[in-house]
Amino acid sequence: MKKSITRLAGLSIMAAGLAFADAPKIDTQRINVMLKQLEHQMQAQPGAPEPNKAEIQKEITLRLQSAEILKAEAIKAGLDKKPDTQAAWQNVQAQFYAAQYVEHLANSIEINDNDLRRQYEQISQEINLLPIVFPSKEAAEEGLTKLKKGLAYETLLKQVNPEAPASNWMSPKQLPPDFAQLASQLKNGQISPNVITIDGHHILLKLAGTRLASNAPAFDQIKDQLREQAKQQKVQEQINQILQKNGINLNE
């Protein structure tokens, strides 16, 4: 509670000396909007005490009254006519409406639990990815032909890479982007249908297994966090589309 009062105290102290009988009236909606913002900030703080709404409303009113009085004085001084002031106001206004639109997009997006479950599996799973690295593309093509004729993948692995481990569990996040992309296209037990050439290396891949990582948090424990991340990603995608339609590409 003391923290919330402290945050509001900057202009409220001025208000103590300016609180005349004809102090400006503040629309209730303005007070409620600021109250909602402060309550949201407090709720985001674990262990925060229950706020005293009446006391906070009083502080908000004083803060807004102080701002209105000083705004009137600024206009009397002709500050609203200064080019720099007008430009600064346009910047603030543009940024404010941009933030409001981002919040509007976030509130309009629904993320279902099935999507969250798939996202959870992607970030929490480990994969057993077995690569065979061949000395040449010709050797790799010959190895692929042997697999198609019935040779077991693990047998070919031992023939070509005798020092390779029989299992190779890892998080997909540990893989280089090219490998992660290829691994994501394989189903459990599937072998890459073609020889893969990356950085001059000729490779076959097998996704030999998937499992939940032993240190993965429970789904319910991070579900809300995943939902927020998914929302933010979709919001950013929509913003990027809007900007691209208007000649701005953030990826360049």
Side-chain angles (χ1 to χ4, degrees):
M1 184 63 246
K2 289 182 179 179
K3 289 184 179 180
S4 65
I5 295 175
T6 301
R7 284 194 293 265
L8 297 169
L11 287 174
S12 299
I13 292 173
M14 293 183 187
L18 299 172
F20 305 110
D22 58 349
K25 299 293 183 183
I26 305 298
D27 185 271
T28 302
Q29 184 65 26
R30 293 178 62 187
I31 297 172
N32 289 340
V33 166
M34 188 171 286
L35 178 62
K36 183 178 179 181
Q37 291 172 343
L38 287 174
E39 288 178 335
H40 182 72
Q41 292 172 8
M42 291 178 181
Q43 290 170 358
Q45 299 175 5
E50 186 69 24
N52 185 323
K53 187 173 293 188
E55 189 172 347
I56 295 177
Q57 284 177 324
K58 180 180 177 181
E59 292 292 335
I60 289 172
T61 302
L62 287 173
R63 180 176 179 177
L64 292 175
Q65 286 175 326
S66 300
E68 286 296 332
I69 292 170
L70 296 179
K71 171 188 171 184
E73 293 299 318
I75 293 173
K76 286 180 185 179
L79 299 183
D80 58 320
K81 302 297 193 297
K82 293 180 63 175
D84 284 354
T85 303
Q86 292 175 350
W89 169 240
Q90 289 173 353
N91 291 344
V92 170
Q93 193 176 40
Q95 291 168 3
F96 170 79
Y97 279 112
Q100 290 293 303
Y101 185 65
V102 169
E103 184 176 350
H104 164 75
L105 287 178
N107 291 336
S108 65
I109 292 172
E110 294 293 335
I111 308 293
N112 63 54
D113 283 357
N114 289 335
D115 290 338
L116 292 181
R117 179 68 69 175
R118 283 192 291 270
Q119 185 180 352
Y120 172 76
E121 291 173 353
Q122 289 175 358
I123 66 172
S124 301
Q125 75 169 355
E126 291 180 331
I127 60 174
N128 186 13
L129 191 65
L130 301 179
I132 304 178
V133 182
F134 294 86
S136 66
K137 187 173 182 180
E138 292 73 21
E141 294 288 358
E142 182 180 346
L144 184 59
T145 299
K146 292 179 179 179
L147 294 178
K148 291 178 179 179
K149 291 181 176 180
L151 180 67
Y153 187 90
E154 288 73 11
T155 301
L156 182 63
L157 173 63
K158 285 301 180 182
Q159 290 176 357
V160 180
N161 304 146
E163 302 299 323
S167 63
N168 191 30
W169 290 98
M170 67 186 72
S171 166
K173 293 182 289 186
Q174 296 175 283
L175 291 169
D178 289 343
F179 273 95
Q181 176 66 20
L182 291 168
S184 68
Q185 298 171 0
L186 298 176
K187 296 179 180 179
N188 196 7
Q190 185 179 8
I191 299 168
S192 54
N194 302 300
V195 174
I196 301 162
T197 301
I198 298 178
D199 296 332
H201 300 289
H202 308 288
I203 303 167
L204 291 176
L205 285 177
K206 179 180 180 180
L207 182 59
T210 61
R211 68 185 183 189
L212 188 66
S214 59
N215 60 348
F219 173 68
D220 289 339
Q221 184 179 344
I222 62 171
K223 182 170 69 173
D224 291 341
Q225 179 183 344
L226 294 176
R227 192 184 305 279
E228 185 61 27
Q229 290 175 351
K231 275 193 173 188
Q232 292 304 319
Q233 181 178 345
K234 288 184 178 295
V235 166
Q236 191 60 55
E237 289 171 356
Q238 292 188 35
I239 289 173
N240 288 345
Q241 290 176 3
I242 293 171
L243 294 179
Q244 286 175 2
K245 288 179 181 178
N246 290 274
I248 295 177
N249 189 345
L250 296 179
N251 296 322
E252 289 183 348

